[in-house]
């Protein structure tokens, strides 16, 4: 069953066609990767799916309902959570608070409840704190809970962002280049973490440049080039797809021997 | 939250200890304290600044000549910046802390009205330097004012206009307290005096160009004269713009025109402007036996030599205010508020810069129609208007 | 759970989680109460000091400064937490004050048909003014609610469209709003034009508690104003330390990311704008009753800018700092300490604080104290690199 | 040796993008710098010209230490960077773009003639607003603008990005011709094949480190190069198979 | 006076005011494009220009006084950038706005204490206070022509400078893309200083030519800055031609509104229109929705 489905999505900026009629599906419980060279339109596609940009044409269906034109917060509440290319932690909060922001859509005290510290709000706050700590523990950073987010290393920020995204209890997680800027061992840890997330039953859509990671993790891969989908298939199929190799290495393919 | 706030709290406490200055002097010994609220800075600074200078000069001279009944006078000046809330705060300070026996100022009617009730409650004599009629009408027991009444100025203007055969007028005023008060009097008295108001407009006190408003005036048929009521620099702009667009009808200004600087700014456009004013501006033309001549000449000379700027009627208002209070204090021979008030209310024939003051329980301005003289501008100088 | 020894989870040596302490234990809760208790103790202490020194009259200016501090604290919430600038907050203060002033000084006795039952409903009351004239005016309590309603309506009118704007454009929109309100107040006879309104009656909150500047009730008004400020501070502190506060902070730090976390950023921005507008308006109502009048300069751009300056000087997101700095500076200003340099002091302060210590002057001071080991708290453990 | 970089570390905030890279470029060479997205190539270039402050390490251009200098000094060191994404001045005309490029060159009008000779298309369009040029023309303009400063060392960041294949060919041909003009080039590229064809030597970067160095001809057949781009996995990689 | 003449008279009045707002708006744009700072102290440059010129005019002939004032204020502008804004590279929009407000207040108060609260003005450049030129039934002061002429010349000269000189081109390059400009060897810090200086000098020139009409006093800057700010926003920040259009629009709007409603509310009309425009087109009439115009922080 497809959890997320896009149909002929299209978006242009000025004269530039960033996403050109892309249709793809993400199956429940799978890890799907979205790859392509720089400027292929991956991030734009991400933003279209998560509501940060309205599409010019086409539809996005999530859990069998159309979410086209929804605002990001509505989509997030529907169960789709994401991370950003540059980890966008909230710099003036500590790590735990950052993750607690993720619990926002699973809680509902308003201004009055919070200002007056009503008992229900207090209980909810406890629940938020506990759940957030759990997520932090899940990514292995519970010991950093009281650190200011701005003091973390880059890799830690990524993990905290992931924990924050998980705190929204998503059915689907969209990761935008989670491995960029990480070193080799950090990448390996990230890969393990993504597997564990999937084990929790979260469907994952991944945009990534690190091919060893993509090929190692993905159930299926979608390749974008110049805003259009040029290939789709299992990692093995993609690695042996001539079109893809040409797009990636450029020039004549035969000059580069297979590894 | 940042608990370091507490450290600040304590430092605040510490500093509050430091700022405590014992100031509760007994009312019957030491110098007599008079409070002054002037808008030395802010939008009304062109009133407050000369008032401040005049008041200081007056007190210095008074003390040099022995003070009042042998006691020196201390002037406590506060700059309100034209804000009513500061006027309230400072008035309270003057009354409660400095225990002044009277307050002069504030410079604007808005500030005066804010502290009118306060002075009344605390039984402190207030002699305002603002012109608006509401300050003394309705009469509050402790509140007086030194400038001439708006209504008298309006009557003078209407009288002069009528003599010139003008009955259809355009009224312009600035959107400050002075302008608003004048506008009210102009509109109220126009009916009684048989004047027809063709158009009445209010302009921004910071206006830099009034051509548009004057165009509107010009477009209304039959306007025979323009009356402008403001104290702000824009009244010079108005005079210029009027001549420039060829609106060649007589221009009457209010007694707020009483500053030679405005004439200089308006240059040739000021020629022929008619306005009521105290006699400070035409002291040289007064006959030798005029009761005000000696005082006006002395004030003008002293102010101009001391501050190197032209004396204006605004400074004169502060002069009169202090003069009235000191006269009352002399007469009362006490600083008891009630006695000072009573003495003030019964002052008669005190010669000031604006005119000869004679107060009564129902008249807290103390000036009659005679306090005004109609002036005009000729060759860049003020001169008495002769029809 | 198994953790890997390299990479992200490296070198966690010896740092114990202090998270549980913050909300859960008694010690943690006490630590949160320190500023509240400190403030609550400082208020009577200050009174005592002033009383002993025989300068109790200083309470007048402290009371006025406390009301201003409420405005500035609300603005601090808006700017420091939600990251939205408002250069027109004076307008809300003025709307609150003017509405109440108009309703409580205007004579409604001409409306014979309505005044009767309105008086029965305690919405209107007959009273005497300074000169002994008989008036029928709205009661202060009713006027208070009317003032809040007016401010909220104005807040929605400007806030709803304006909060779609960003940066300079939002600054311009709020500045423009302030100017419009100021011009309308100056231009209308109903609001006393340039003179403003005066003779606003005292406001009897409940028997024995009255908002008025009269000397006999000076002490209770001081406690009332400081109490209100404290209540506002506590409520705002509760708010910012909760789900709502985190949402606001996240909007400031990254609106996109916040939105993607399921936070309805537009709604939150409007709500916090209205909240701070309401605080400003309420402060305006109290202030107007306290000083018995209000003038158009309260809505002026300079006043709004002064609030921004004070909020910036206090460190914006540091509500206690904002409250204390604005209390102190307004107090000095209202005492006339700065003489003819009043505005210059505020201008210079703005430049110095923003360029040298954008997080507020308390921040470096606290850091210094912490370095000297004179000040230890839960926060200190937050600083340092993992 | 025209450019020598030793142990350079730099990054953004807490992100260390370049983790101790060392490389050198000799006068007259064309040197390629390959690697996947996010490998740190662009950051390295930025650190070379001063757009990014190096955390540690040293950068020597023509023997002079230049690290820590502001970016506008690089021109006086005869080094010019053609940044990624062209970064032309879109609202200015082609001519103006070139003139600004020769800001420090007193003979800028003469130099412009030379650039026009090299890129005749720019001469045809000299009055046109730069933003309306096609992608390839913009890239030419960016290179032309850099040449206006008469650099000894030209740093090119992804000149082929987003260009049509024909255009890519043209750009690379142009880079190859630089050699004749006596310009030394450090070329950062994703297009490994084309780069290795024009370059004398090349470096391969992975996660901020230089993992491979060698003659262009040797590298063209090195397995690591393809791995760097397409993630061909080594046998000993610890991941389990993920296929269902 | 016929309806047509009236309309023309209103229009001229609006253009007079509007051209002043336009100069302020251009000043805003110059600095904004080059540095991203929205300098709310722009109005103070105009005030300072007038003040310095009036003071100098006591000692030297009028043209020298004007030139001297422009020079002095240009230096003040440069000094401001060099001593203050150069040191705040990482501050948010909000912080920078607040700093410029602080600068505005300090300059204003300093002027009050250096000079005084009194109104001063330069003499009319030609003719005097009452001379007027008739134009198709409408009358204007020759000084208005001076204002329009000077401002036109200044704007054209500025345009020429930016368009045809190397330094001007470099400045445009800096605002188009600071990073690329740096890579071309342009010292963008100096360009920023220059933009402050130019903007201040332009303001001072305007302050001199308008001085005979509007007169000069220490508080005149802030209202002009606010109107100029409105004009710049209306025209779209960073768009110089938009600034001119925005300025004229605000001026004409004020003048026209006087003919239809009480003059007391003419500012209100201008600002209500401004707000409506902003709400419908959040980037101003001529502003572009994308790009730097709406950058936040």
């Amino acid at each position: 069953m497809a959890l997320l489905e896009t149909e002929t999505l299209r978006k242009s900026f000025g004269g530039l066609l960033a996403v050109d009629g892309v249709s793809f599906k993400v199956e429940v419980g799978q890890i799907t990767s979205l790859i392509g060279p720089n400027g292929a339109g991956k991030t734009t596609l991400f933003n279209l799916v998560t509501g940060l940009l309205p599409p010019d044409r086409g539809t996005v269906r999530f859990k069998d309902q159309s979410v086209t034109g929804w605002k990001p917060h509505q989509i997030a509440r529907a169960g789709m959570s994401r991370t950003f290319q540059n980890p966008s932690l909230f710099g003036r909060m500590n790590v735990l608070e950052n993750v607690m922001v993720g619990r926002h859509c699973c809680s509902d005290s308003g201004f009055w409840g919070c200002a007056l510290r009503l008992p229900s709000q207090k209980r909810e706050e406890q629940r938020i704190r506990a759940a957030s700590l759990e997520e932090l523990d899940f990514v292995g950073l519970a010991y950093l809970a009281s650190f200011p987010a701005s003091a973390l290393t880059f890799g830690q920020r990524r993990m905290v962002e992931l924990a924050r995204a998980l705190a929204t209890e998503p059915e689907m997680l969209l990761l935008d280049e989670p491995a960029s800027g990480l070193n080799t061992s950090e990448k390996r840890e990230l890969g393990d973490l993504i597997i564990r997330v999937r084990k929790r039953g979260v469907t994952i859509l991944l945009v990534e440049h690190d091919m060893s990671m993509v090929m190692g993790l993905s159930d299926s891969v979608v390749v974008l080039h110049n805003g259009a989908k040029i290939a789709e298939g299992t990692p093995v199929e993609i690695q042996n797809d001539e079109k893809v190799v040409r797009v990636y290495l450029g020039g004549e393919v035969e000059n580069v021997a297979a590894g | 939250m940042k608990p370091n706030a507490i450290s600040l709290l304590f430092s605040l406490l510490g500093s509050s200890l430091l700022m405590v200055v014992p100031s509760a002097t007994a009312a019957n010994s030491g110098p007599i304290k008079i409070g002054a609220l002037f808008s030395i800075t802010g939008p009304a600074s062109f009133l407050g600044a000369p008032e401040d200078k005049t008041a200081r000069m007056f007190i210095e001279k008074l003390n040099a000549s022995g003070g009042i009944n042998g006691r020196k006078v201390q002037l406590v000046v506060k700059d309100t910046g034209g804000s009513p809330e500061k006027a309230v705060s400072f008035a309270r300070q003057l009354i409660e802390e400095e225990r002044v026996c009277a307050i002069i100022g504030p410079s604007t009617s808005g500030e005066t009205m804010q502290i009118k009730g306060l002075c009344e409650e605390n039984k402190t004599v207030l002699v305002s330097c603002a012109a608006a009629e509401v300050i003394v009408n309705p009469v509050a027991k402790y509140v007086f004012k030194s400038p001439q009444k708006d209504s008298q100025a309006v009557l003078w203007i209407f009288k002069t206009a009528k003599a010139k055969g003008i009955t259809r007028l355009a009224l312009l005023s600035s959107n400050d307290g002075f302008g608003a008060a004048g506008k009210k009097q102009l509109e109220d008295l126009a009916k009684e005096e048989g004047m027809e108001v063709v158009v009445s407009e209010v302009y921004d006190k910071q206006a830099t160009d009034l051509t548009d408003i004057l165009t509107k005036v010009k477009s209304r048929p039959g306007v025979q004269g323009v009356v402008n009521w403001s104290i702000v620099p824009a009244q010079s702009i108005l005079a210029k713009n009027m001549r420039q667009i060829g609106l060649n009808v007589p221009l009457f200004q209010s007694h707020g025109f009483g500053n030679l600087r405005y004439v200089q700014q308006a240059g040739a456009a000021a020629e022929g402007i008619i306005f009521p004013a105290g006699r400070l501006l035409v002291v040289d033309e007064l006959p030798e036996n005029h009761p005000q001549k000696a005082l006006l000449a002395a004030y003008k000379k002293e102010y101009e030599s001391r501050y190197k700027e032209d004396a204006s009627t605004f400074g004169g208002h502060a002069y009169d205010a202090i003069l009235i209070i000191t006269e009352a204090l002399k007469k009362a021979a006490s600083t008891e508020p009630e006695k000072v008030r009573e003495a003030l209310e019964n002052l008669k024939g005190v010669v000031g810069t604006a005119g000869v003051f004679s107060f009564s329980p129902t008249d807290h301005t103390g000036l009659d129609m005679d306090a005004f003289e109609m002036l005009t501008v000729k060759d860049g100088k003020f001169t008495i208007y002769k029809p | 759970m198994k953790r890997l020894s390299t990479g992200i989870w490296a070198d966690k040596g010896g740092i114990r989680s202090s998270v549980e302490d913050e909300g859960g234990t008694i010690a943690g809760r006490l630590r949160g109460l320190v500023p509240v208790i400190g403030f609550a103790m400082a208020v009577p202490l200050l009174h005592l000091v002033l009383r002993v020194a025989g300068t109790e009259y200083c309470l007048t200016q402290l009371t006025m400064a406390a009301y201003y501090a409420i405005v500035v604290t609300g603005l601090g919430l808006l700017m420091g937490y939600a990251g939205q600038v408002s250069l027109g907050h004076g307008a809300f203060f003025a709307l609150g004050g003017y509405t109440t002033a108009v309703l409580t000084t205007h004579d409604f006795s001409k409306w014979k048909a309505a005044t009767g039952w309105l008086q029965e409903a305690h919405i209107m009351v007959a009273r005497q003014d300074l000169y002994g004239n008989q008036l029928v005016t709205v009661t202060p309590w009713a006027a208070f609610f009317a003032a809040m309603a007016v401010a909220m309506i104005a807040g929605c009118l400007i806030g709803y469209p304006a909060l779609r704007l960003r940066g300079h454009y939002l600054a311009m929109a709020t500045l423009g709003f302030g100017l419009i309100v100021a011009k309308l107040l100056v231009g209308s006879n109903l609001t006393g034009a340039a003179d403003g309104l005066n003779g606003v009656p005292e406001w009897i909150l409940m028997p024995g508690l009255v908002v008025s500047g009269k000397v006999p009730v000076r002490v209770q008004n001081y406690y009332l104003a400081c109490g209100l400020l404290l209540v506002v501070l506590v409520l705002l502190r509760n708010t910012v330390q909760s789900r709502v506060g985190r949402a606001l902070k996240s909007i400031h730090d990254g609106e996109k990311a916040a939105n993607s976390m399921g936070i309805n950023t537009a709604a939150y921005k409007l709500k916090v704008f209205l909240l701070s507008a309401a605080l400003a308006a309420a402060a305006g109502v109290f202030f107007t009753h306290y000083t018995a009048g209000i003038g158009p300069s309260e809505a002026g751009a300079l006043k709004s800018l002064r609030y921004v300056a004070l909020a910036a000087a206090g460190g914006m997101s540091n509500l206690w700092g904002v409250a204390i700095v604005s209390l102190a500076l307004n107090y000095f200003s209202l005492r006339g300490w700065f003489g003819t340099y009043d505005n210059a002091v505020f201008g210079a302060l703005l430049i110095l604080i923003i360029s040298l210590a954008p997080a507020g002057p308390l921040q470096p001071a606290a850091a210094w104290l912490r370095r000297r080991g004179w000040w230890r708290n839960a926060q200190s453990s937050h600083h340092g690199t993992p | 040796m025209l450019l020598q970089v030793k142990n350079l570390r730099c990054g953004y905030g807490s992100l260390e993008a370049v983790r101790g890279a060392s490389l050198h470029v000799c006068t007259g060479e064309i040197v390629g710098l390959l690697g996947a997205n996010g490998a740190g190539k662009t950051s390295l270039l930025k650190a070379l010209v001063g757009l990014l402050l190096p955390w540690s390490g040293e950068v020597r251009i023509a023997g002079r230490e230049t690290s820590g200098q502001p970016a506008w000094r690089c021109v006086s060191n005869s080094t010019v960077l053609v940044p990624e994404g062209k970064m032309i001045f879109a609202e200015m005309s082609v001519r103006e773009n070139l003139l600004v490029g020769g800001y420090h060159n007193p003979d800028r009008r003469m130099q412009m003639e030379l650039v026009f000779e090299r890129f005749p298309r720019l001469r045809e369009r000299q009055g046109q607003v730069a933003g309306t040029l096609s992608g390839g023309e913009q890239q030419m303009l960016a290179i032309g603008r850099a040449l206006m400063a008469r650099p000894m060392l030209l740093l090119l960041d992804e000149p082929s990005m987003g260009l049509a294949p024909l255009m890519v060919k043209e750009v690379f041909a142009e880079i190859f011709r630089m050699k004749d003009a006596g310009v030394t080039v450090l070329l950062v590229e994703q297009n490994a094949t084309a780069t290795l064809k024009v370059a004398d030597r090349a470096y391969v970067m992975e996660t901020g480190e230089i993992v491979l160095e060698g003659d262009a001809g040797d590298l063209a057949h090195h397995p690591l190069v393809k791995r760097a781009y397409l993630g061909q996995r080594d046998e000993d990689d610890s991941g389990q198979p993920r296929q269902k | 006076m016929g309806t047509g003449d009236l309309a023309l008279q209103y229009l001229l009045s609006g253009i007079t005011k509007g051209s002043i707002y336009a100069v302020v708006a251009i000043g805003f744009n110059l600095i904004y494009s080059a540095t991203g700072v929205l300098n709310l102290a722009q109005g103070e440059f105009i005030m300072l220009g007038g003040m310095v010129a009036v003071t100098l005019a006591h000692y030297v002939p009028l043209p020298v006084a004007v030139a001297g004032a422009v020079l002095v204020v240009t230096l003040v502008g440069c000094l401001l950038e060099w001593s203050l804004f150069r040191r705040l590279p990482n501050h948010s929009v909000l912080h920078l706005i607040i700093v410029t407000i602080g600068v505005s207040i300090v300059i204003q108060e300093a002027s009050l204490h250096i000079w005084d609260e009194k109104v001063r003005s330069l003499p009319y450049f030609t003719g005097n206070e009452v001379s007027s030129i008739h134009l198709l039934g409408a009358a204007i002061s020759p000084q208005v022509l001076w204002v329009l002429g000077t401002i036109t010349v200044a704007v054209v000269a500025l345009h020429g400078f930016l368009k045809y000189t190397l330094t001007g081109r470099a400045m445009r390059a800096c605002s188009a893309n600071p990073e690329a400009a740096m890579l071309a060897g342009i010292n963008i810090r100096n360009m920023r200083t220059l933009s402050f200086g130019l903007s201040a000098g332009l303001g001072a020139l305007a302050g001199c030519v308008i001085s005979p009409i509007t007169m000069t006093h220490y508080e005149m800057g802030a209202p002009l800055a606010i109107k100029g700010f409105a004009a710049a926003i209306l025209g779209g920040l960073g768009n110089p031609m938009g600034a001119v259009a925005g300025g004229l629009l605000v001026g004409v709007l004020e003048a026209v509104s006087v003919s239809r409603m009480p003059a007391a509310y003419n500012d209100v009309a201008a600002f209500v229109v401004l707000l409506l425009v902003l709400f419908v087109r959040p980037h101003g009439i001529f502003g572009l929705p994308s790009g730097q115009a709406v950058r936040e922080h």
Side-chain angles (χ1 to χ4, degrees), chain C residues 21-44:
Chain C
D21 301 355
E22 282 197 355
T25 67
I26 293 164
R29 215 173 281 172
L30 276 180
R31 208 175 287 134
L33 281 176
V34 165
V36 182
I37 295 166
F39 192 93
M41 275 167 35
V43 170

Side-chain angles (χ1 to χ4, degrees), chain A residues 90-159:
Chain A
F90 306 122
R92 299 178 315 153
M93 293 186 230
N94 70 24
V95 168
L96 181 65
E97 284 173 324
N98 262 283
V99 180
M100 286 164 87
V101 172
R103 297 298 295 175
H104 193 88
C105 34
C106 315
S107 49
D108 52 12
S109 338
F111 268 92
W112 285 113
C114 290
L116 298 174
R117 292 236 161 130
L118 299 177
S120 63
Q121 186 265 342
K122 272 183 171 169
R123 280 195 299 276
E124 187 181 85
E125 191 73 8
Q126 295 277 318
R127 281 199 301 275
I128 292 175
R129 186 175 290 270
S132 304
L133 263 175
E134 221 165 84
E135 293 301 347
L136 260 186
D137 199 46
F138 181 76
V139 301
L141 293 178
Y143 69 98
L144 289 179
S146 60
F147 275 86
S150 51
L152 298 190
T153 68
F154 193 76
Q156 289 167 336
R157 284 166 180 235
R158 278 235 183 287
M159 290 303 176

Side-chain angles (χ1 to χ4, degrees), chain B residues 53-166:
Chain B
K53 288 172 181 163
T54 303
R56 288 175 196 276
M57 190 177 86
F58 186 99
I59 292 294
E60 220 167 90
K61 203 177 146 203
L62 181 71
N63 283 337
S65 65
I68 299 170
N69 303 336
R71 281 171 76 184
K72 297 261 186 242
V73 177
Q74 188 193 344
L75 189 69
V76 186
V77 183
K78 296 267 184 184
D79 174 18
T80 63
S83 318
E85 83 279 1
K86 272 196 193 162
V88 170
S89 169
F90 293 161
R92 285 191 179 281
Q93 282 178 49
L94 291 176
I95 295 168
E96 294 166 17
E97 302 168 29
E98 307 288 350
R99 296 176 193 279
V100 297
C101 69
I103 297 174
I104 58 170
S107 312
T108 65
S109 53
E111 294 166 273
T112 308
M113 291 311 290
Q114 296 293 346
I115 65 169
K116 187 176 175 183
L118 189 67
C119 291
E120 193 69 8
E121 261 167 41
N122 291 286
K123 302 201 186 324
T124 305
V125 173
L126 176 76
V127 183
S128 171
C129 296
E133 195 124 355
V134 281
I135 296 168
V136 291
N137 181 23
V139 171
K141 267 173 93 180
Y142 284 86
V143 181
F144 302 81
K145 79 182 183 85
S146 66
Q148 301 92 337
K149 276 187 185 170
D150 296 331
S151 55
Q152 291 164 350
V154 171
L155 288 174
W156 269 102
I157 289 175
F158 285 165
K159 210 172 80 181
T160 317
K162 240 187 271 178
K164 284 174 81 90
I166 294 169

Side-chain angles (χ1 to χ4, degrees), chain A residues 54-104:
Chain A
D56 296 343
R57 245 196 357 239
T59 54
V60 181
R61 295 181 68 77
F62 182 60
K63 294 198 286 188
D64 287 329
Q65 60 175 334
S66 170
V67 296
T68 324
W70 284 25
K71 292 270 179 290
H73 64 92
Q74 294 168 312
I75 291 183
R77 278 183 176 258
M80 200 193 298
S81 190
R82 69 171 291 178
T83 66
F84 290 84
Q85 204 166 336
N86 292 312
S88 54
L89 290 188
F90 306 122
R92 299 178 315 153
M93 293 186 230
N94 70 24
V95 168
L96 181 65
E97 284 173 324
N98 262 283
V99 180
M100 286 164 87
V101 172
R103 297 298 295 175
H104 193 88

Side-chain angles (χ1 to χ4, degrees), chain C residues 32-384:
Chain C
L33 281 176
V34 165
V36 182
I37 295 166
F39 192 93
M41 275 167 35
V43 170
L45 197 61
L46 195 58
H47 176 208
L48 196 72
V49 169
L50 292 173
R51 174 157 219 158
V52 169
T55 53
E56 215 173 10
Y57 45 71
C58 291
L59 295 181
T60 301
Q61 283 79 28
L62 277 171
T63 309
M64 292 164 87
Y67 287 130
Y68 279 130
I70 293 177
V71 187
V72 181
T73 311
L75 192 61
L77 179 77
L78 180 69
M79 299 207 302
Y81 282 90
Q84 307 297 311
V85 61
S86 170
L87 300 184
H89 242 55
F92 291 112
F93 183 93
L95 279 177
Y98 263 104
T99 310
T100 209
V102 167
L103 292 178
T104 55
T105 58
H106 197 77
D107 185 12
F108 290 93
S109 55
K110 276 181 220 132
W111 298 12
K112 291 234 166 48
T115 48
W117 69 266
L118 283 171
Q119 281 187 52
E120 303 237 318
H122 295 287
I123 290 173
M124 285 205 177
V125 67
R127 65 176 183 91
Q128 269 190 346
D129 72 359
L130 187 64
Y131 315 104
N133 302 323
Q134 277 294 328
L135 310 174
V136 176
T137 63
V138 176
T139 58
W141 265 112
F144 170 73
F145 289 112
M148 296 310 282
V150 168
M152 287 302 90
I153 291 167
C156 286
L157 275 180
I158 181 70
Y160 185 71
L163 292 173
R164 287 166 46 224
L165 303 169
R166 295 192 171 173
H168 298 127
Y169 291 86
L170 176 63
M172 181 70 236
T174 51
L175 184 66
F177 166 70
L179 286 169
I180 290 172
V181 170
K183 289 281 149 145
L184 290 178
L185 292 177
V186 168
S188 165
N189 280 332
L190 183 69
T191 53
D195 286 347
L197 293 167
N198 51 73
V200 177
E202 55 189 28
W203 176 12
I204 300 163
L205 288 174
M206 56 169 112
L209 188 58
V210 56
V211 183
S212 156
K214 294 206 172 78
V215 176
V217 289
R218 181 160 56 199
V219 172
Q220 58 162 286
N221 268 277
Y222 165 70
Y223 283 101
L224 175 68
C226 290
L228 279 176
L229 177 60
L230 183 62
V231 168
V232 166
L233 278 168
V234 169
L235 292 184
L236 292 188
R237 183 202 66 151
N238 288 349
T239 307
V240 300
Q241 285 182 350
S242 71
R243 169 181 185 270
V244 171
R246 286 190 297 272
L248 295 178
K249 278 189 263 187
S250 70
I251 292 172
H252 189 179
D253 286 359
E255 199 172 333
K256 257 190 203 170
N259 211 340
S260 297
M261 288 297 115
I263 294 165
N264 187 348
T265 48
Y268 267 101
K269 281 200 278 185
L270 183 61
K271 277 184 196 162
V272 71
F273 187 77
L274 288 181
L275 176 63
S276 76
L279 286 176
V285 173
F286 278 92
F287 193 88
T288 302
H289 282 289
Y290 186 72
T291 58
I294 187 165
S297 68
E298 289 292 358
L302 205 62
K303 210 62 186 238
S304 296
L305 298 179
R306 183 176 275 220
Y307 296 140
V308 173
L310 286 169
M316 291 209 217
S317 59
N318 179 347
L319 293 180
W320 297 99
V322 167
I324 287 166
V325 168
S326 88
L327 196 59
L329 286 177
N330 262 324
Y331 171 75
F332 294 142
S333 171
L334 286 169
R335 299 275 316 162
W337 272 38
F338 307 125
T340 57
Y341 293 92
D342 199 59
N343 280 333
V345 165
F346 278 85
L349 198 77
L350 267 186
I351 300 176
L352 288 177
I353 286 177
I354 297 285
S355 49
L356 299 178
L362 299 186
Q363 215 71 359
W368 185 76
L369 286 176
R370 209 174 284 128
R371 267 202 307 281
R372 305 289 300 257
W374 292 352
W375 185 261
R376 291 201 61 79
N377 61 328
Q379 293 243 305
S380 61
S381 67
H382 293 182
H383 293 271

